[in-house]
Amino acid sequence: MQNLRIDLVSDIACPWCAIGYRRLEHALETLAGEIEVELAWQPFELNPDMPPEGEPILEHLCNKYGQDAERVERTQGEMIKLASDLGLNFDGARARRAHNTFDAHRVLAWAAEQSRETALQQALFDAYFGEAKRPSDPVVLREAAQQVGLDGEAAEAVARSDRYAETVRAAEQRFMQAGVSAVPGFVIDGRYLISGAQPASSLVDAIREIAET
């Protein structure tokens, strides 16, 4: 069996990262018994300069992409349907606000030391897109950690400190230097970059091709 490492560069506030991960799950199910994958999540901040209160998502996306509200709303609706068809909880996606996620990434780095980062990522996707909660709120992080069997008080303590800040900044810089400028980004074996939430079939083909090189 072939062994590959995939670094998934992602932000909790990125809907296509949640979609991309679900598609990767489906791809890995197809590759089961053929290719063994070690998955590591890596941080990316879509809104590094966002103030703590954030911005309503529709207003934020209109300003960011220079599009009118009708077009953004239509695009968001299509994305929400796609996510729902994949079994993702996007019930709160329209009510969410654009937020900075640095503190969440610090808690995720803590969770990675306990091999629970994937579970916490999924819990935070649910909290943000399903319930429109602020992903870097220490209380939200505590609750999400508890949901996946982690010490909630310890997670909240990390969120209220500056622990893992250097770890997160170093990882962000490393993957930007590797060419990741948007998310999701799948860096395979540290050599190949697949950008965007590709269909599961495309990921299967790409992973197989890389495994054979």
Side-chain angles (χ1 to χ4, degrees):
M1 185 184 297
Q2 295 281 83
N3 293 286
L4 290 176
R5 175 186 170 99
I6 297 180
D7 287 288
L8 176 47
V9 187
S10 169
D11 192 4
I12 299 103
C14 167
W16 293 103
C17 292
I19 291 168
Y21 174 67
R22 179 54 54 88
R23 288 174 167 175
L24 177 63
E25 283 187 308
H26 292 167
L28 296 183
E29 289 172 3
T30 300
L31 295 168
E34 178 184 345
I35 298 172
E36 183 74 22
V37 167
E38 174 193 355
L39 177 65
W41 294 81
Q42 303 296 344
F44 188 97
E45 293 173 74
L46 286 174
N47 306 303
D49 301 317
M50 185 65 65
E53 67 273 14
E55 294 178 348
I57 193 61
L58 186 62
E59 174 186 329
H60 173 73
L61 293 174
C62 287
N63 293 334
K64 183 173 183 177
Y65 296 110
Q67 298 175 353
D68 60 55
E70 181 179 355
R71 181 175 179 183
V72 170
E73 176 59 38
R74 183 172 63 251
T75 302
Q76 288 291 289
E78 293 168 352
M79 177 201 72
I80 291 167
K81 183 181 185 305
L82 175 59
S84 297
D85 289 345
L86 288 168
L88 296 169
N89 178 9
F90 269 44
D91 291 348
R94 286 186 172 88
R96 75 193 193 275
R97 298 174 71 87
H99 285 292
N100 173 258
T101 52
F102 183 69
D103 289 343
H105 284 302
R106 292 191 299 102
V107 175
L108 286 162
W110 166 79
E113 295 183 341
Q114 301 165 75
S115 301
R116 298 297 292 162
E117 188 177 17
T118 294
L120 186 55
Q121 287 274 0
Q122 291 178 294
L124 289 173
F125 282 144
D126 283 345
Y128 183 59
F129 295 107
E131 302 179 61
K133 294 181 177 179
R134 182 165 66 90
S136 281
D137 183 334
V139 175
V140 171
L141 289 163
R142 181 189 68 209
E143 293 171 348
Q146 289 172 334
Q147 288 173 17
V148 301
L150 290 165
D151 184 331
E153 290 186 5
E156 182 175 354
V158 172
R160 295 188 185 280
S161 72
D162 61 357
R163 293 171 58 199
Y164 298 94
E166 292 184 5
T167 300
V168 172
R169 293 293 186 215
E172 288 176 331
Q173 186 65 26
R174 183 166 71 253
F175 284 92
M176 282 192 289
Q177 290 175 345
V180 179
S181 58
V183 286
F186 303 85
V187 179
I188 303 180
D189 260 12
R191 299 177 293 161
Y192 304 94
L193 171 61
I194 301 172
S195 297
Q198 302 296 328
S201 59
S202 298
L203 289 170
V204 168
D205 292 343
I207 291 169
R208 279 180 173 151
E209 183 178 348
I210 291 168
E212 293 171 358
T213 59

